Amino acid sequence: KLLTEKGAAKKMLRFLLLVNKQGQTRLSQYYSHVPVEERVTTEADIVRKCLARNEELCSFMEYKNYKVVYRKYASLYFIIAIDNSDNELSVLEFIHTAVETFDRYFESVCELDVSCSHVHTHTHTHLIAFVFCLTCC
């Protein structure tokens, strides 16, 4: 959370998604309460739009009341929703740094590292994403 001029808390990140090329969500973390029904429709809509976009287009787009910033690494899309007033380029750098962190931890990260059903690996993936979001944003 960041403090605005009036001292009110402001959230930068709305949610983080890791999605494969087939559109399957491998990791999702929300940083404010969103009903499950809304999550499902929002994720499906955003993922469909990201996968359909031409690679020559920029890596951010507006969606409802926030911006969506995404980047594809190998077979995974890293998708982050932010407030409209936030800087898209800083989020792209954040995604790149997160990928480097995952890469070092898992020694060349792949989709299986993120979505593995093995409790130890999956817990570490969520923990890394959570700590990274807390310390970087």
Side-chain angles (χ1 to χ4, degrees), residues 52-116:
R53 285 175 64 95
N54 188 327
E55 289 185 19
E56 294 175 4
L57 295 174
C58 68
S59 295
F60 34 90
M61 62 186 173
E62 291 186 10
Y63 181 81
K64 294 187 179 179
N65 59 344
Y66 42 81
K67 292 180 201 172
V68 174
V69 181
Y70 69 95
R71 185 133 185 214
K72 181 182 175 191
Y73 283 91
S75 64
L76 287 173
Y77 283 83
F78 289 73
I79 303 170
I80 296 179
I82 58 174
D83 292 328
N84 281 321
S85 60
D86 292 324
N87 185 331
E88 304 93 345
L89 297 177
S90 67
V91 176
L92 283 174
E93 184 63 29
F94 170 80
I95 292 171
H96 182 71
T97 306
V99 169
E100 286 182 342
T101 303
F102 280 124
D103 219 26
R104 285 195 181 139
Y105 182 81
F106 290 111
E107 298 175 2
S108 189
V109 69
C110 67
E111 182 181 343
L112 290 175
D113 293 326
V114 175
S115 63
C116 184

Side-chain angles (χ1 to χ4, degrees), residues 38-58:
E38 187 178 334
R39 286 182 184 199
V40 171
T41 54
T42 299
E43 285 180 28
D45 201 21
I46 288 174
V47 169
R48 186 173 45 256
K49 288 180 180 188
C50 287
L51 293 176
R53 285 175 64 95
N54 188 327
E55 289 185 19
E56 294 175 4
L57 295 174
C58 68

